[in-house]
Amino acid sequence: MSDHRTGLNLPLRIERLEESVKVMDPSDRVAAYIYVAGEREQRVQTNRLSPAEGVEVAKVIARALTDAIAGSGRS
């Protein structure tokens, strides 16, 4: 399923990188980056989330986008 507004296709997936978490579609189109930091001191200095928090935010984003895209196909 594809959304004409965003150009994203379902299903969305989450990929964890060293300093970010990204939400992507099957065509590797990135819907969102969430920047994270592993070390507590670095998180405080940069105001970033922990990697686990970043994954949770990515899940919320992916769920919301999936609901919006799936809903856009309904008449």
Side-chain angles (χ1 to χ4, degrees):
M1 179 174 287
S2 177
D3 181 60
H4 68 280
R5 296 167 298 172
T6 63
L8 295 171
N9 297 300
L10 295 179
L12 298 175
R13 68 182 191 280
I14 296 168
E15 184 176 333
R16 187 171 161 184
L17 304 170
E18 188 172 328
E19 293 189 5
S20 66
V21 178
K22 60 184 176 178
V23 179
M24 301 170 45
D25 78 354
S27 303
D28 293 333
R29 193 169 293 122
V30 177
Y33 279 103
I34 300 91
Y35 293 97
V36 300
E39 299 296 324
R40 185 186 182 288
E41 187 172 317
Q42 186 182 12
R43 285 195 303 272
V44 170
Q45 291 175 353
T46 60
N47 201 26
R48 291 185 178 185
L49 300 172
S50 72
E53 292 167 328
V55 168
E56 290 305 310
V57 169
K59 288 178 183 178
V60 170
I61 292 169
R63 196 171 309 121
L65 286 171
T66 297
D67 290 349
I69 292 167
S72 71
R74 294 185 200 140
S75 304

